[in-house]
Amino acid sequence: MAEATPDSGQDKSHKRGDVSGRAPSGGSAPAAESDAGADQLPAWTKALGWCGVAGLIYLLICAVSIISRGFAGLGSDAAHTMFAFAAHPWVGLSVGILGTVLIQSSTTTTAIAVTAVGSGALPIQGAIPIILGANVGTTVTTSLVALTFIGDRTEFRRALGASTVHDFYNWLALLIFFPIELIWHPLKHISGTLTNALYGTDWLPNPAHLNFIRAATRPVEHAVIHATSHVSSTLGPLFTIVIGAALILVAVRYLGKLLKLLMVGRARDILIKAVGRNAYLAMASGMGVTVVTQSSTITTSVLVPFAGTGILTPAQVYPVVVGSNLGTTFTVVFAAFAGVGQDAKIGLQAAFVHLIYNLFAIVVIYVIPLLRPVPLFCAENLARVASEHRWVLAVYLGTVFVALPALVIVLVGVL
């Protein structure tokens, strides 16, 4: 913590130049050029880009419907068998962490879990650990972005401190709420109460009544079902589920990239201006940009280079991380509305679990001052040690995000 003081002075000295729009020294000029290039895209290119956004959102909805049909085709016994290994909460948690690390998208992992619940293939209590694990696994990418500064010890320490604050915030939230959920199940109960209160009312649309969505997705859904119908009655639905999961991954990944090209230049300006003014404004900006880009990783990764060059401190990035965690939940809630049938309501409940969990984490860890410094303290100390001993970061990432979850899955879920 003590070593962050010199950087803070440097951050303040650069802040005015950044807000005014001038390219700061230390490597931010390329970012400014990238923004300028995005703003100077021809009108027809932007129009095509937004058509692509609409197409990818449509693909996302289709993918959710395809997975639902796949689970329905399996039958209840076979569908439950698929998730039997994740019935243990520690295995589910590890699946969420490791799965998100591998596919680099918490939205995809969570959307698949929500769809499985909405299809009746996975009980809500089995999905909650997966959702909580996905919330943690998504932070790895931002830590890898900090490696671009590894050639300069000071810049590497700043960048790693800003990136791993996301890690420790999510780990702290998990340490607090996962044991509580195992004992008293507050996320399950509160999300169920909220769903019962809002489902079928004017406050939220009833997925069963959104017939136009079903009509729009039916051609793609039927095409996939027809393509997989030539194999056995078990393998066909399995292939359907795999295709749907792959389509979700493609849709989320390229939607983020396309929106980054179209929007992040402006969104980055909003973030940088908001970060230096007010913590809660920075939090709101992080949430808003994440809703637009469909990716908390994009939102937080954008700020790591600014932290590395000393324009922002980890303390200033911290509230943006908190806001981005909340922003990423809206995609999953949106995806839940693509489900129909008798289990669509419980699928929406699973999506609300993700939202409520992140709201509780904000209140308990950030709004209440007692725990607020903990993620920042851990991140800055890890960054200080890792900047002196580079192998520490490799051990940390490999052990916490890969080895431990894999070990739990093998020892508890398989053996």
Side-chain angles (χ1 to χ4, degrees):
M1 294 289 286
E3 291 196 21
T5 305
D7 295 340
S8 300
Q10 186 175 357
D11 294 342
K12 293 177 181 177
S13 66
H14 283 286
K15 196 182 301 179
R16 182 179 301 274
D18 179 65
V19 170
S20 65
R22 294 189 296 272
S25 60
S28 293
E33 291 172 4
S34 175
D35 290 351
D39 291 338
Q40 293 173 6
L41 286 174
W44 65 270
T45 304
K46 290 183 180 179
L48 286 176
W50 285 113
C51 289
V53 169
L56 288 169
I57 291 174
Y58 170 74
L59 184 63
L60 175 63
I61 298 172
C62 289
V64 172
S65 299
I66 288 168
I67 292 177
S68 297
R69 284 294 299 270
F71 282 127
L74 276 177
S76 59
D77 291 339
H80 284 295
T81 301
M82 281 187 64
F83 290 94
F85 76 100
H88 194 286
W90 287 99
V91 176
L93 178 68
S94 300
V95 167
I97 294 173
L98 189 59
T100 304
V101 168
L102 294 176
I103 65 178
Q104 292 291 288
S105 173
S106 63
T107 302
T108 301
T109 306
T110 308
I112 291 172
V114 168
T115 306
V117 172
S119 304
L122 180 66
I124 183 66
Q125 61 266 27
I128 291 175
I130 296 176
I131 293 171
L132 269 56
N135 223 49
V136 171
T138 191
T139 64
V140 171
T141 306
T142 313
S143 299
L144 296 177
V145 172
L147 288 174
T148 59
F149 292 89
I150 200 167
D152 185 291
R153 179 173 295 179
T154 301
E155 291 187 348
F156 180 56
R157 175 167 56 83
R158 294 177 189 144
L160 190 60
S163 63
T164 54
V165 73
H166 197 187
D167 296 29
F168 288 108
Y169 174 81
N170 283 340
W171 279 118
L172 182 58
L174 185 68
L175 288 173
I176 294 171
F177 290 105
F178 186 57
I180 293 175
E181 183 63 24
L182 291 180
I183 299 171
W184 293 292
H185 313 292
L187 293 175
K188 177 184 176 183
H189 296 319
I190 295 172
S191 63
T193 302
L194 182 63
T195 305
N196 290 333
L198 297 180
Y199 193 85
T201 67
D202 293 334
W203 288 92
L204 287 176
N206 186 336
H209 296 160
L210 300 181
N211 295 327
F212 65 93
I213 290 182
R214 295 294 294 169
T217 61
R218 192 170 288 117
V220 177
E221 181 183 315
H222 284 179
V224 174
I225 297 297
H226 178 72
T228 58
S229 62
H230 303 293
V231 293
S232 69
S233 58
T234 300
L235 288 179
L238 282 176
F239 285 148
T240 301
I241 293 168
V242 170
I243 291 171
L247 289 178
I248 288 180
L249 179 60
V250 170
V252 170
R253 178 158 296 183
Y254 285 98
L255 187 61
K257 289 184 177 181
L258 197 53
L259 286 169
K260 182 177 181 180
L261 176 65
L262 295 170
M263 288 291 297
V264 165
R266 297 171 186 171
R268 176 157 46 200
D269 291 340
I270 294 171
L271 275 177
I272 298 303
K273 290 177 182 178
V275 161
R277 293 178 180 175
N278 180 278
Y280 290 99
L281 178 60
M283 190 186 301
S285 300
M287 181 183 71
V289 171
T290 302
V291 169
V292 170
T293 61
Q294 304 285 298
S295 172
S296 60
T297 301
I298 289 176
T299 305
T300 51
S301 296
V302 158
L303 297 180
V304 171
F306 289 89
T309 54
I311 297 167
L312 299 175
T313 65
Q316 290 173 316
V317 173
Y318 185 11
V320 181
V321 165
V322 173
S324 71
N325 258 24
L326 184 60
T328 196
T329 65
F330 290 97
T331 305
V332 180
V333 173
F334 169 75
F337 283 106
V340 295
Q342 60 180 1
D343 294 309
K345 183 177 179 180
I346 198 171
L348 183 60
Q349 179 185 349
F352 278 143
V353 166
H354 196 203
L355 176 63
I356 293 167
Y357 170 63
N358 281 286
L359 280 173
F360 281 177
I362 289 175
V363 173
V364 172
I365 298 176
Y366 195 85
V367 175
I368 299 175
L370 180 64
L371 294 177
R372 188 187 302 170
V374 174
L376 189 61
F377 174 81
C378 295
E380 289 184 332
N381 277 277
L382 174 65
R384 176 179 55 80
V385 174
S387 65
E388 297 171 357
H389 309 284
R390 310 293 169 84
W391 57 268
V392 170
L393 180 61
V395 171
Y396 163 69
L397 294 177
T399 302
V400 172
F401 290 100
V402 179
L404 283 179
L407 192 62
V408 170
I409 293 171
V410 170
L411 294 181
V412 181
V414 178
L415 299 182

